[in-house]
Amino acid sequence: MRARALAVFLVVASLLAVVSPAYAPPPDELTGTVVRTVDGDTVWVRLAGGVEKVRYIGIDTPEVHHPTRGEEPGGRAATEINRGLVGERPVRLEPDVQLRDRYGRLLAYVWVKRADGVEVMVNAELVRLGYAQVMTVPPNVRHAEMFRKLAAEAREHHRGLWAGPLRP
């Protein structure tokens, strides 16, 4: 009897894995063009299937449009730095384990090519420059250790938001 129950369980689990979108493996990468910078850690990107709101994985920047707190110190600066990095340029989106957050936003590490052709991860660059803090939300932790090292370096060297009297 136990063998039959185990077999039924495995069949049901296998079917759920096939039909449930939560079990669908994320694509290796997506490419698109930034059409709008929302704030320091969110952009709208035109992809092949339409325009998606993309939230940067692993970081958090001060808010510009928070519904209850309003604009936080450093929010505009972080937004401008983000806009300067991505502008309305082509980007490559690298997903991690979880593809979307509870608000339906696409979660990604966002990569952009600099003028010299070198590809830079925007999430990491915002932390390195001192305009973002590390915000690790499992299971999306692929680059968490790198972000922690970059954040410590930004604080140590008083970069970005760490430079002024309104340090986070």
Side-chain angles (χ1 to χ4, degrees):
M1 191 63 168
R2 285 184 182 224
R4 179 181 282 174
L6 179 60
V8 169
F9 172 77
L10 290 174
V11 168
V12 170
S14 298
L15 287 173
L16 285 174
V18 170
V19 297
S20 173
Y23 289 96
D28 290 338
E29 67 176 49
L30 302 166
T31 57
T33 302
V34 174
V35 295
R36 180 173 169 243
T37 302
V38 176
D39 58 23
D41 53 33
T42 310
V43 291
W44 285 92
V45 177
R46 182 177 314 284
L47 302 168
V51 177
E52 288 270 2
K53 194 171 194 177
V54 177
R55 173 67 164 82
Y56 298 170
I57 296 174
I59 69 168
D60 190 39
T61 61
E63 298 294 334
V64 177
H65 311 287
H66 195 277
T68 58
R69 294 188 304 249
E71 183 177 324
E72 296 177 333
R76 286 186 193 206
T79 301
E80 289 307 312
I81 295 297
N82 187 26
R83 186 175 285 121
L85 291 168
V86 296
E88 294 181 353
R89 299 168 52 197
V91 291
R92 178 174 62 88
L93 307 179
E94 175 193 344
D96 205 332
V97 175
Q98 183 182 7
L99 194 56
R100 293 190 183 274
D101 66 8
R102 64 182 173 169
Y103 304 108
R105 298 176 296 190
L106 190 61
L107 300 172
Y109 302 103
V110 178
W111 296 81
V112 65
K113 284 191 180 175
R114 295 188 317 209
D116 62 4
V118 174
E119 196 175 42
V120 174
M121 183 199 300
V122 178
N123 318 45
E125 190 66 2
L126 286 163
V127 175
R128 187 187 74 75
L129 294 172
Y131 289 94
Q133 296 186 64
V134 178
M135 185 179 79
T136 304
V137 180
N140 293 341
V141 297
R142 182 177 303 149
H143 299 291
E145 185 58 33
M146 174 182 57
F147 293 159
R148 282 191 285 277
K149 288 177 183 175
L150 291 170
E153 182 182 300
R155 281 191 301 274
E156 180 182 328
H157 295 287
H158 304 288
R159 290 190 199 128
L161 301 175
W162 302 102
L166 298 175
R167 296 179 185 166

